[in-house]
Amino acid sequence: MSTTDLQAYRGSLLHFLADPAFSDNAHAWHEDGLLIVADGKVQAAGDYAILHATLPPGTTVHDYSGKLLMPGFIDTHIHYPQTDMIASPSEGLLPWLETYTFPVERGFEDPVHAAGVAEFFLDELLRCGTTTAMVYCTVHPQSVDAFFTASDARGLRMVAGKVLMDRNCPEFLRDTAQGGARDTEALINRWHNRGRSQYAITPRFAPTSTNEQLHLAGELARAYPDTYIQTHVSENEAECAWVRELFPQSRSYIDVYDSYGMLRPRAMYGHCIWLDETDRRRMAETGAAAAICPTSNLFLGSGLFDFERADQAGMLVSLATDVGGGTSFSMLQTMNEAYKVARLKGSHLPALRMFYLATLGAARAMQLEGTIGNFAPGAEADFIVVDPQGTPLLQRRSGNAASLEELLFALALLGDDRAIAATYSAGRRVHVRT
């Protein structure tokens, strides 16, 4: 292999091999490490002293000594059309949707507007070190085209889908069961597995879809089993009560989706706060995953996710920002709030676990282990460069950290995105902090 085919990066390497909650050997740490990339994929990751000797003569080594190299963050639940309404006040989820969300999403019938928001949105993700996200578009197919056009041009691995919504919403955002299914299938055929783009069948949430629409969404999920499903479940108590009124035949909110065949691997459910033990066991046995959205849940007063009971049930869990109910694009800020949520529920999230949930844990929840999420040979080389001394406060705090756990904890709890010095996608630098 010629030297032009290789890229090499020196720095402290951190990535995960397993869930720290269940394994004593969950992470790999190389204080002086080397990451070798070929054709956009990881070729090797390990100690610099060992791997440097394997490089062909003349290979340029990009030196990030003193900084951390780790896999890019993965955000498993976020709404790109809500970028411009982030931090909009409300008394709760349902009035927030009616007052802010639905009017803002109306603008995405204009593809030029949608394209402009998509570009800004992706810039913000990359600035914060997020290289993959599961993204909600609007009811308009052109909003999906605008998003994937922008992400595909940047070579990003992104999952997205058109919202399905045929009732309990303004007329200007309402599709039909048949029309939404036709649009979804056309978008699957246009975008799924094109480059690094993947499609998600996206009912907004059960109350805004008729039984017919949910039935057709389930049929699409069976017809295209390698697509994703994304929606919301059990976010707040008022919403759960509404679901009980609309679907009296179902045992629980998650059971609504289960009855239409939408609990399966590659199904991502946002929030999952008000589940019971039967719900959690059912998610675990079907391979459906939870996207935990602490900044959104705290902002809207929705409730506190129970990490301990989710772990006891064996649920797949990941972290997500849920912009614009969420208050930051930053996965560091998301870890900050997740830690506090766990403490308020009486449990503790070590820093290593939080970083796992934002990288390999999210990849596992998305059924993408081996593709993204760590530095395994053959994985796509999506990674970030983290500068623990990126600001005077970070510098002082990192200088006092006695261990890797303490260093990561400081990065997460300070939540300062100025620590993200650079972001790489498939071995190509897509953001650098100036």
Side-chain angles (χ1 to χ4, degrees):
M1 183 177 289
S2 70
T3 57
T4 57
D5 295 324
L6 287 178
Q7 302 161 51
Y9 303 89
R10 184 179 187 178
S12 297
L13 302 188
L14 171 67
H15 69 118
F16 292 89
L17 312 172
D19 187 339
F22 302 103
S23 173
D24 293 331
N25 299 299
H27 70 280
W29 166 249
H30 305 277
E31 188 167 5
D32 184 13
L34 189 68
L35 176 65
I36 303 175
V37 175
D39 298 323
K41 295 186 177 181
V42 174
Q43 185 180 70
D47 289 337
Y48 176 83
I50 296 172
L51 289 181
H52 181 253
T54 70
L55 293 175
T59 301
T60 299
V61 176
H62 303 275
D63 194 350
Y64 286 118
S65 296
K67 299 179 176 63
L68 309 181
L69 303 183
M70 63 180 67
F73 296 135
I74 302 167
D75 185 342
T76 54
H77 184 104
I78 188 169
H79 300 253
Y80 102 85
Q82 296 176 15
T83 298
D84 292 342
M85 52 164 284
I86 192 171
S88 296
S90 181
E91 296 177 357
L93 170 65
L94 300 180
W96 178 81
L97 288 170
E98 294 170 0
T99 305
Y100 299 106
T101 305
F102 292 153
V104 164
E105 291 190 0
R106 184 176 195 173
F108 286 76
E109 63 187 353
D110 177 2
V112 175
H113 173 72
V117 175
E119 293 289 352
F120 180 88
F121 172 87
L122 291 169
D123 284 344
E124 284 297 291
L125 287 183
L126 297 173
R127 181 182 66 81
C128 294
T130 298
T131 51
T132 290
M134 291 190 67
V135 181
Y136 288 65
C137 302
T138 67
V139 72
H140 312 98
Q142 55 267 40
S143 73
V144 181
D145 290 332
F147 178 79
F148 276 136
T149 297
S151 66
D152 185 59
R154 299 175 187 229
L156 305 177
R157 179 163 292 285
M158 290 285 161
V159 177
K162 167 197 140 50
V163 162
L164 297 169
M165 189 161 56
D166 68 342
R167 68 167 172 174
N168 293 326
C169 64
E171 184 66 32
F172 57 76
L173 286 181
R174 191 172 302 168
D175 61 8
T176 66
Q178 294 289 339
R182 284 195 301 270
D183 287 343
T184 294
E185 186 164 33
L187 289 164
I188 290 170
N189 290 327
R190 183 149 68 245
W191 288 109
H192 187 56
N193 292 329
R194 172 175 163 180
R196 301 179 77 201
S197 301
Q198 294 177 287
Y199 196 84
I201 299 163
T202 309
R204 181 177 217 109
F205 67 150
T208 51
S209 287
T210 60
N211 288 286
E212 182 185 5
Q213 185 164 76
L214 292 172
H215 171 74
L216 292 173
E219 285 194 345
L220 286 168
R222 287 186 289 275
Y224 299 94
D226 70 331
T227 59
Y228 287 87
I229 300 166
Q230 60 180 357
T231 190
H232 302 75
V233 71
S234 299
E235 183 172 355
N236 75 20
E237 291 179 293
E239 170 205 16
C240 293
W242 192 19
V243 169
R244 286 194 294 272
E245 294 176 2
L246 293 171
F247 301 92
Q249 75 281 7
S250 294
R251 191 200 68 81
S252 67
Y253 194 162
I254 199 73
D255 186 55
V256 174
Y257 299 116
D258 200 6
S259 67
Y260 292 105
M262 287 191 282
L263 288 191
R264 63 154 168 84
R266 296 199 167 196
M268 185 67 66
Y269 286 87
H271 307 294
C272 298
I273 295 172
W274 301 100
L275 303 181
D276 61 23
E277 296 309 309
T278 300
D279 295 331
R280 295 186 185 97
R281 286 196 302 270
R282 183 62 182 152
M283 288 190 70
E285 67 189 21
T286 59
I292 305 159
C293 309
T295 73
S296 172
N297 300 153
L298 293 172
F299 171 66
L300 292 171
S302 299
L304 305 173
F305 182 83
D306 197 322
F307 287 92
E308 186 172 342
R309 288 186 177 178
D311 287 344
Q312 289 171 353
M315 283 173 57
L316 291 167
V317 296
S318 57
L319 292 181
T321 64
D322 192 29
V323 166
T327 53
S328 175
F329 281 80
S330 165
M331 293 303 289
L332 292 176
Q333 284 284 356
T334 301
M335 293 179 207
N336 173 11
E337 300 303 327
Y339 177 81
K340 298 170 187 174
V341 165
R343 293 301 302 129
L344 287 169
K345 291 294 286 185
S347 59
H348 169 68
L349 276 182
L352 282 164
R353 180 88 192 288
M354 292 190 287
F355 278 86
Y356 164 82
L357 292 175
T359 56
L360 180 61
R364 285 181 167 179
M366 294 175 66
Q367 308 293 316
L368 285 177
E369 184 175 5
T371 300
I372 56 174
N374 70 1
F375 292 147
E380 294 168 351
D382 294 347
F383 64 95
I384 56 177
V385 181
V386 181
D387 185 358
Q389 301 188 356
T391 67
L393 179 58
L394 286 170
Q395 183 175 5
R396 294 176 71 90
R397 183 61 190 91
S398 65
N400 290 323
S403 64
L404 175 62
E405 172 70 19
E406 287 187 8
L407 174 60
L408 295 178
F409 191 78
L411 287 169
L413 268 289
L414 291 174
D416 192 333
D417 296 309
R418 288 172 293 181
I420 309 298
T423 303
Y424 286 78
S425 174
R428 182 170 61 92
R429 193 169 70 182
V430 289
H431 177 79
V432 61
R433 186 167 296 280
T434 57

